Amino acid sequence: MSTTVAVSAALPVQAATFDFSKLQLISTKPIESNSELSFFGSLDNNEGQTAFFNPDPDAVDRGHAEISPNSGSIAPYYATGRNASPENSGATRAASLEGATNFPNFFNYLSNNSIAPNSIGFSYGQKSDRDFKETWNLGEDKLGQDWLASPTSTIEERIYTANPDAVESYFSLGDTRIVNLGYTPFYVLFEYGETPALEDNIDLFYTEPVKATKVAGLDPLTEGLADAFLLDIANNGGNVQLVIEDIAAEDGAFASGNGFNIFNFPLPLSVRAVSVPEPSAILGFLILAGSGIFSFPKQQKKVGKTSK
């Protein structure tokens, strides 16, 4: 079932097994980082992520039939956090903080102020005053534009987009939002493996690198926490990328609400501090390379194979 949804449960150590050289529609890739926060959204805690679609087979927001070998049946049209699900479950967040690598200012602030890590939450979805249909979705759901798959390839690529003014993603302390993330499409990749079984599947979900900004009007405690987080981001690249990487996808739970069919799944999320090349730096390199200043011996390109 999990291979039919937009976002799936994750095991970050498996990222290297996906062969990105096979991608044709999506050029963005996850960026390696030594600084990351680890979140997890458990369905038992009324957290997680939600994929949903119109059950009417003739509806434009039904989602498309999957065509890759060993795939499932329907690729849901919409993606959102449990906090913004049409199920109206009462969820207040999608995931809670569990740990971190190389976020010293942020975690020192938590410790010095006796703030439990799991009180930090992550949420995403359409804004509270917007319709469920305004969350991230497959647009025209058009093959070659919004998704790409083939009956001869076990890989499917999807791009979920939204009106940037209609959606939001953010971190919170309890019920208080402290940091907003900029808008980004969600890139979803599926490697359905050599068999119909889930055990040889690889699912990836990630964003563009984006800027994080402090919410205005915070009290001294929450403002200090937001500043500590942003300082660690600034010290380790200046941008944030959300990444979920999965092999042998976990089972989810089916639900319905507000006229939609819904799949709920756990959300193990890596929030990475990353850097991206400045456009001017890339342009300068291309100019120098074109001028002949750089000379490289010709080598045959090696393409890695996906390991299972």
Side-chain angles (χ1 to χ4, degrees), residues 253-285:
F254 176 80
S256 61
N258 280 286
F260 297 103
N261 284 351
I262 299 166
F263 294 109
N264 291 316
F265 284 85
L267 175 58
L269 174 68
S270 170
V271 177
R272 301 180 179 181
V274 298
S275 60
V276 294
E278 293 293 335
S280 58
I282 296 175
L283 178 61
F285 177 85

Side-chain angles (χ1 to χ4, degrees), residues 52-213:
F52 61 101
F53 61 94
N54 193 322
D56 181 352
D58 298 321
V60 295
D61 56 351
R62 163 74 171 181
H64 60 266
E66 295 178 326
I67 61 176
S68 298
N70 304 321
S71 60
S73 55
I74 296 293
Y77 186 80
Y78 301 102
T80 191
R82 190 85 179 272
N83 55 288
S85 169
E87 185 183 0
N88 292 332
S89 65
T92 59
R93 59 175 60 177
S96 299
L97 181 64
E98 289 197 328
T101 302
N102 196 24
F103 267 79
N105 294 292
F106 185 63
F107 260 72
N108 284 340
Y109 193 92
L110 292 177
S111 177
N112 293 338
N113 291 277
S114 300
I115 300 173
N118 64 6
S119 65
I120 306 298
F122 165 76
S123 301
Y124 77 99
Q126 72 283 355
K127 295 179 180 178
S128 59
D129 61 344
R130 299 301 185 109
D131 188 84
F132 297 110
K133 294 182 179 181
E134 294 190 66
T135 188
W136 278 269
N137 59 75
L138 286 174
E140 297 181 74
D141 203 5
K142 184 177 179 180
L143 177 64
Q145 171 184 288
D146 305 297
W147 63 283
L148 186 65
S150 165
T152 61
S153 172
T154 55
I155 291 178
E156 178 170 344
E157 308 172 49
R158 301 179 199 162
I159 304 176
Y160 285 79
T161 58
N163 178 343
D165 295 328
V167 295
E168 58 190 0
S169 58
Y170 56 90
F171 302 117
S172 58
L173 172 61
D175 295 329
T176 303
R177 186 180 313 197
I178 59 173
V179 172
N180 288 323
L181 303 179
Y183 168 76
T184 169
F186 292 160
Y187 301 105
V188 183
L189 308 178
F190 296 100
E191 165 60 79
Y192 291 110
E194 298 177 356
T195 73
L198 295 180
E199 285 73 20
D200 60 357
N201 288 5
I202 305 170
D203 301 347
L204 298 180
F205 162 85
Y206 53 93
T207 67
E208 297 274 6
V210 295
K211 293 292 184 181
T213 58

Side-chain angles (χ1 to χ4, degrees), residues 222-288:
T222 51
E223 183 172 25
L225 181 60
D227 286 338
F229 171 79
L230 293 174
L231 179 58
D232 285 330
I233 295 295
N235 290 340
N236 291 280
N239 294 274
V240 173
Q241 187 179 39
L242 310 181
V243 181
I244 300 171
E245 301 162 309
D246 178 32
I247 193 167
E250 297 183 18
D251 289 335
F254 176 80
S256 61
N258 280 286
F260 297 103
N261 284 351
I262 299 166
F263 294 109
N264 291 316
F265 284 85
L267 175 58
L269 174 68
S270 170
V271 177
R272 301 180 179 181
V274 298
S275 60
V276 294
E278 293 293 335
S280 58
I282 296 175
L283 178 61
F285 177 85
L286 293 176
I287 292 174
L288 289 173

